Amino acid sequence: MKVIPRAARVYIGCALLGAGASALPALRPGAATPWGTVALLATLYALCELPARCRVIGRAVGGSVPMGTGSFFPVLLAAALLLPPAAAALTALPGSLLARVDEPPAAPRRAWRAAATALAVWAAARTAGALGCAEALGHGPEAPDFPYALLPAGAAALTFCLVLTALDGGIRATADGLPLRAAWRGLLGRALAPHAVHGLAGLMMAVLWRSTYGPVSALFVLLPMYISCWVFAQYHRERAAHQATIRALVQAVDIKDRYTRGHSERVGHASVLIARELGMAEERLDVVRFAGILHDVGKLGVPTRVLRKDGPLTPEERRTIELHPEYGHEMVRGIGFLGEARAAILHHHERMDGSGYPYGLHGDEIPEFARVVAVADAFDAMTSTRCYSRARPVPTAVAELERCAGSHFDPRMVAALVRALDRHGWQPAVTADETVSAGPAGGDVPPPREAGAARRPEAPGTRPRERA
C-alpha cells in the first residue's frame, strides 16, 4: 500500500474543506435548493459510474464498461448549467465516492476525487451563472437562446477543465514529489478536447431537461456518450493486449540471450527519439517503438548455444545469427497492428551501401523504419556495457555513427539522433549480470576461428549477435 506523504494529506484536507464550503450554502435553511433536480442528477451520475466498480454489473454487460472517472462528466456539466453553484457541487459527491479506484489506499483517493470534482462543478456553475445561463436555456415552451447559450456552456466546460487540471497538478506535485512545472506539464492539453465534447453534451442535456419533455428526454444524451465510452474502453483494452504481446516477446528474447537484457527497450526508446526529430506523425511513433523493441525477436529462432557462446563465432554460426531478421519477420507476419514495424524487423541490418543483409538493399530501398532502428540499435550496442565489452562514451559512439553515415547508416537518421541526444541526453546501462573484464572500450568480436574465412563487415562497435 502506498503511503500518502504529509504534504499530500494536507492538500487533500484543504480540498475537502473547500468542497464542504462550496456545498454548504445549499444545506442552509431557506436556501431554496431544488432537491428534486439535485437528487435526480446525483443519482444519475452515481448510476453511470457504478458499473465500472461493480463486478456483477460489469460481467452482465460483457466486462466492457467505461473505465475511470470522467466518462460521464456531461451529467455534472448539465448540473452546473441547471443548478445554483452549491447545489451543483452536491451532485458530484455520490458518483465520485462510488467510482472505481485502481490503486490503494482507496479511501483517500475517493475523498480527493469527490473534493476535486465538487470544486470543479461549483466553479463551472459560478461561471455559467455569471454569464446568464439560466435565461439562455429557456424553460418549457421557451426556446433556448442559440447561439448565445453556447457561451456560458463553453465557459463552464473550460472552467471545469481548468480547475480539475490545476487540482490534479497539485496532487501530483505533493503526492509524487514532482517539480511544479513537471506536475502540470501536458495535463491541460490532454484534457481540453474531451472536456469541450463533455460541455456540448452537458448543454444538450440541460436544454432537454428544461424543455417540455422533461428530465426523461435528457437521458437520451447519455446513450451515445455511453457507447462512445464503451468504444474508447475497447480501444484501451486492445492497446493493453498489444502491449502485453510485445512484453511477452521481449521477455522471451531477454531470457534466451542474457547478453542483451534491456537492449530491446532502449532501442525502442532511441527509435522514438529519432522519429520525433524527423517529425513523424504521432500515430507512427508507437509503431516505430514496436519496431525497435521487437527488432531482435528473431533470436528466438537461433540456437541458444550460439547466442550464449563466449568465444569467437565460426562462419557457420555467424550465418545462423544473420538469419534472425528473417526469423523475426516470419514470427510477427500475422500481427496486424505492427504495420511498418514488420519491414523494420526484416531489414534493420541492411546498409546504405548495399553490404547488409538479408537482401543487400541500397539507400532508399531500405524501409524508413529499418533505417531508424539500425542507428538506434548500433548506438545502444556501443554505449551499453556488456560482459564482453565496455561501453563507449556517448560522444565516441556518436562520432562513430557520423563516420559511418552514408555507408552503413542513413545520414538523416544519424543527424536526428544527435539532435535528440543534445535535447534529451542518454543514460547507458549494464545489460549483463556478469562483471566486465578489462579490455578496450567497445571491444569488437574476434574474427571467425577459420583462418581466411570470409567475413561480412559488422556495424561499428557491435558484436554480430548483438546487432538487431
Side-chain angles (χ1 to χ4, degrees):
M1 178 179 294
K2 181 177 178 180
V3 177
I4 300 179
R6 181 177 180 181
R9 293 199 300 269
V10 172
Y11 188 78
I12 293 173
C14 291
L16 287 169
L17 289 174
S22 66
L24 184 61
L27 304 176
R28 290 175 179 167
T33 300
W35 287 110
T37 303
V38 171
L40 283 173
L41 287 169
T43 302
L44 182 59
Y45 181 58
L47 289 175
C48 289
E49 293 290 354
L50 187 60
R53 183 181 177 189
C54 180
R55 295 180 181 178
V56 175
I57 300 177
R59 284 195 294 268
V61 294
S64 298
V65 294
M67 301 175 66
T69 300
S71 300
F72 297 102
F73 280 166
V75 178
L76 299 182
L77 288 167
L81 301 179
L82 291 168
L83 296 170
L90 289 175
T91 62
L93 298 180
S96 300
L97 293 172
L98 284 173
R100 185 174 66 183
V101 174
D102 294 322
E103 298 179 16
R109 290 178 182 275
R110 287 199 177 96
W112 159 252
R113 181 177 293 165
T117 310
L119 286 170
V121 176
W122 176 85
R126 294 279 295 185
T127 301
L131 294 174
C133 183
E135 295 78 11
L137 291 179
H139 194 281
E142 298 178 14
D145 186 6
F146 284 116
Y148 177 75
L150 294 173
L151 176 61
L158 178 61
T159 302
F160 186 87
C161 177
L162 291 174
V163 172
L164 272 187
T165 299
L167 292 172
D168 286 344
I171 198 65
R172 292 180 68 194
T174 54
D176 299 331
L178 296 175
L180 290 179
R181 291 183 64 182
W184 276 283
R185 185 181 299 132
L187 288 180
L188 184 59
R190 291 193 298 268
L192 274 176
H195 283 94
V197 175
H198 293 163
L200 288 174
L203 175 61
M204 291 171 61
M205 282 194 68
V207 169
L208 290 172
W209 195 287
R210 296 281 293 270
S211 71
T212 54
Y213 301 103
V216 175
S217 63
L219 297 179
F220 289 101
V221 178
L222 287 180
L223 181 59
M225 289 299 299
Y226 194 93
I227 292 174
S228 65
C229 290
W230 178 84
V231 171
F232 192 65
Q234 291 295 96
Y235 164 77
H236 277 280
R237 284 189 179 86
E238 183 177 354
R239 185 180 175 86
H242 294 170
Q243 300 286 355
T245 301
I246 300 299
R247 282 196 302 271
L249 290 171
V250 171
Q251 286 171 359
V253 175
D254 286 349
I255 290 171
K256 184 162 186 174
D257 187 1
R258 64 178 182 269
Y259 293 117
T260 57
R261 192 165 299 147
H263 170 68
S264 299
E265 292 287 350
R266 292 193 303 276
V267 172
H269 175 62
S271 298
V272 171
L273 292 180
I274 295 171
R276 280 206 176 102
E277 288 296 326
L278 294 174
M280 287 189 186
E282 282 294 322
E283 57 268 19
R284 299 184 73 199
L285 294 183
D286 271 348
V287 181
V288 79
R289 184 173 68 86
F290 290 154
I293 289 174
L294 291 177
H295 73 284
D296 264 347
V297 69
K299 287 184 176 180
L300 293 173
V302 177
T304 304
R305 61 175 178 78
V306 176
L307 290 176
R308 296 191 176 185
K309 184 176 180 181
D310 289 328
L313 298 175
T314 67
E316 292 77 12
E317 290 168 340
R318 195 177 294 271
R319 283 193 292 269
T320 298
I321 285 182
E322 288 178 355
L323 290 173
H324 80 268
E326 294 174 274
Y327 290 157
H329 184 256
E330 286 299 316
M331 290 176 186
V332 303
R333 175 178 288 180
I335 305 179
F337 69 84
L338 289 179
E340 294 178 85
R342 290 172 292 188
I345 292 169
L346 178 61
H347 296 294
H348 68 275
H349 277 299
E350 307 284 2
R351 293 178 178 173
M352 297 297 287
D353 59 7
S355 65
Y357 60 89
Y359 299 130
L361 300 183
H362 291 76
D364 290 340
E365 293 177 349
I366 306 170
E368 185 179 31
F369 278 12
R371 286 176 272 147
V372 170
V373 173
V375 172
D377 181 24
F379 174 74
D380 181 70
M382 286 190 283
T383 56
S384 297
T385 298
R386 311 288 170 83
C387 66
Y388 49 79
S389 67
R390 291 186 180 276
R392 297 186 185 189
V394 169
T396 303
V398 168
E400 188 71 7
L401 290 173
E402 290 175 334
R403 184 182 70 83
C404 296
S407 58
H408 288 54
F409 309 114
D410 187 332
R412 286 179 59 242
M413 309 307 172
V414 174
L417 177 63
V418 173
R419 293 195 302 271
L421 294 175
D422 289 340
R423 193 189 310 269
H424 303 287
W426 185 259
Q427 184 61 46
V430 177
T431 59
D433 297 331
E434 296 86 346
T435 57
V436 180
S437 58
D444 293 331
V445 181
R449 288 179 177 178
E450 298 179 14
R455 182 186 179 193
R456 187 188 304 275
E458 294 299 326
T462 64
R463 189 179 189 182
R465 59 179 148 219
E466 289 306 317
R467 286 198 61 236

